[in-house]
Amino acid sequence: MAVQIIRVGTTKDQLGESPCWDADAQALNWIDALSGTLWRLKPEAGEPERHLLPAPVGSIAPCRGAAVVMALRNSFARYDFATRTLEHLARIPIDDPKVRFNDGKCDPAGHFLAGTMHLDRQAGEAVAGGLYRLRTDARVEQLADDIGFANGPCFSLDGRVLYLADSLERIIWAYDYEPDGPLHNKRVFAKTHAFDAGPDGATVDAQGFLWTVLTRAARLARFAPDGGLDLLVDLPMSYPTSICFGGPRLEDMYLTSISRSARLEGRKAQDGGLFRISGLPAPGRLPHHFGGA
């Protein structure tokens, strides 16, 4: 089957990011990171619900009970769709306008991992921030302090390997992962220098292959579990950002994009839109939820 890519709806985000599928509600959630908009779409319902959050928003992940956990500028919170209320959970000890949360994902134990980006970092300047883990009891742990522009956290099928990109270095790292311990055995999983683009949002499919967005190349790349390049998919928007699998059988992939961010501006009419991709080699798997189960 050939890969098909269609635009979904008419939303136009400045910086569309962090799509995540709510399997219980059969709904897709995603954000416009710069405007602080949280979208919730039930595909059969037509237009999505719009919810407003304190901007900027780094990332979101599903919780049980029609809610999402999120990384805001330098804090974690939980948002309830039914009551439209935001509950602050924890904060990291950084208050620097050049450092804010970026991408995040839940681990199999129900903890939420989110990494930061250190903007305008000068040559030789130490990284501020890194990768943090919000535990289910709202305690925060710093797992890494050497990732300057964190993107695409996701896990191997058995949950024992964490993949994490540093977009500026154009490297996807792999770590041995334990939900109750530190990271171990950092090593290179894949490099994206050949595409002249850093890796952005990422997910792992049901075959254990890692998909990552190559934003500046307008492509999707699929890597085998050994890090070898398996497939490239050309995309019809200027700057794609992040992906997740969704749909009743998790056979579709949803993709967000940029119309105008702080650094990139698209020139195509569909830029900033939400897209659905079908005809991929394998479906996804159920996302991990904050709090477990």
Side-chain angles (χ1 to χ4, degrees), residues 29-30 39-40 58 61 79-80 89 120-121 123 131 155 169 183 219 228 232 235-236 239 245 267 281 284:
N29 308 314
W30 79 98
W39 298 105
R40 183 167 175 84
Y79 183 82
D80 186 290
L89 301 176
D120 301 320
R121 183 161 57 98
L131 179 69
F155 292 88
E169 292 190 19
L183 301 180
R219 283 173 154 182
L232 284 172
L235 299 172
Y239 299 112
F245 282 96
R267 301 291 184 181

Side-chain angles (χ1 to χ4, degrees), residues 1-291:
M1 181 185 297
V3 173
Q4 297 180 324
I5 305 172
I6 64 169
R7 186 171 178 181
V8 179
T10 60
T11 57
K12 190 176 184 70
D13 297 318
Q14 295 178 67
L15 176 55
E17 277 286 3
S18 200
C20 62
W21 183 253
D22 182 339
D24 293 337
Q26 291 293 294
L28 179 75
N29 308 314
W30 79 98
I31 57 173
D32 183 338
L34 293 184
S35 72
T37 300
L38 169 61
W39 298 105
R40 183 167 175 84
L41 173 68
K42 295 185 178 180
E44 74 282 358
E47 290 301 308
E49 299 175 0
R50 186 184 185 199
H51 301 258
L52 296 179
L53 302 171
V57 186
S59 52
I60 59 172
C63 302
R64 295 297 183 191
V68 289
V69 64
M70 66 187 63
L72 298 172
R73 186 175 71 85
N74 63 352
S75 64
F76 294 102
R78 181 184 185 275
Y79 183 82
D80 186 290
F81 286 106
T83 61
R84 293 180 177 258
T85 55
L86 184 71
E87 175 190 6
H88 286 275
L89 301 176
R91 185 177 298 273
I92 60 173
I94 294 178
D95 191 10
D96 182 334
K98 294 183 179 180
V99 180
R100 73 169 180 86
F101 269 125
N102 197 42
D103 210 354
K105 199 77 58 73
C106 288
D107 73 8
H111 308 312
F112 181 50
L113 277 67
T116 59
M117 54 184 183
H118 185 167
L119 302 172
D120 301 320
R121 183 161 57 98
Q122 303 302 306
E125 182 182 359
V127 171
L131 179 69
Y132 296 85
R133 179 167 58 198
L134 175 70
R135 301 186 65 84
T136 56
D137 62 3
R139 288 186 294 123
V140 177
E141 304 163 325
Q142 185 171 13
L143 298 181
D145 61 4
D146 58 352
I147 302 294
F149 203 112
N151 258 315
C154 52
F155 292 88
S156 61
L157 293 181
D158 62 7
R160 297 174 63 182
V161 177
L162 166 68
Y163 303 106
L164 179 67
D166 191 322
S167 296
L168 292 183
E169 292 190 19
R170 298 184 174 181
I171 295 175
I172 302 173
W173 299 100
Y175 304 81
D176 294 344
Y177 184 79
E178 300 173 4
D180 296 311
L183 301 180
H184 295 286
N185 189 24
K186 180 182 180 181
R187 67 267 189 196
V188 173
F189 173 73
K191 296 183 178 182
T192 63
H193 300 79
F195 309 108
D196 196 26
D200 203 321
T203 191
V204 172
D205 67 26
Q207 294 179 347
F209 285 60
L210 183 146
W211 291 86
T212 189
V213 177
L214 303 173
T215 297
R216 291 179 181 267
R219 283 173 154 182
L220 279 175
R222 187 186 194 230
F223 291 95
D226 65 1
L229 179 64
D230 175 71
L231 182 66
L232 284 172
V233 178
D234 292 324
L235 299 172
M237 71 294 298
S238 299
Y239 299 112
T241 53
S242 193
I243 48 175
C244 75
F245 282 96
R249 293 176 295 278
L250 300 173
E251 292 178 339
D252 296 325
M253 180 181 281
Y254 287 94
L255 170 71
T256 51
S257 65
I258 291 170
S259 64
R260 186 176 185 179
S261 69
R263 296 172 181 267
L264 300 172
E265 183 173 358
R267 301 291 184 181
K268 298 179 179 180
Q270 65 266 36
D271 288 339
L274 174 73
F275 297 82
R276 184 173 65 243
I277 305 173
S278 58
L280 298 175
R285 54 184 180 156
L286 288 172
H288 304 305
H289 287 70
F290 182 66

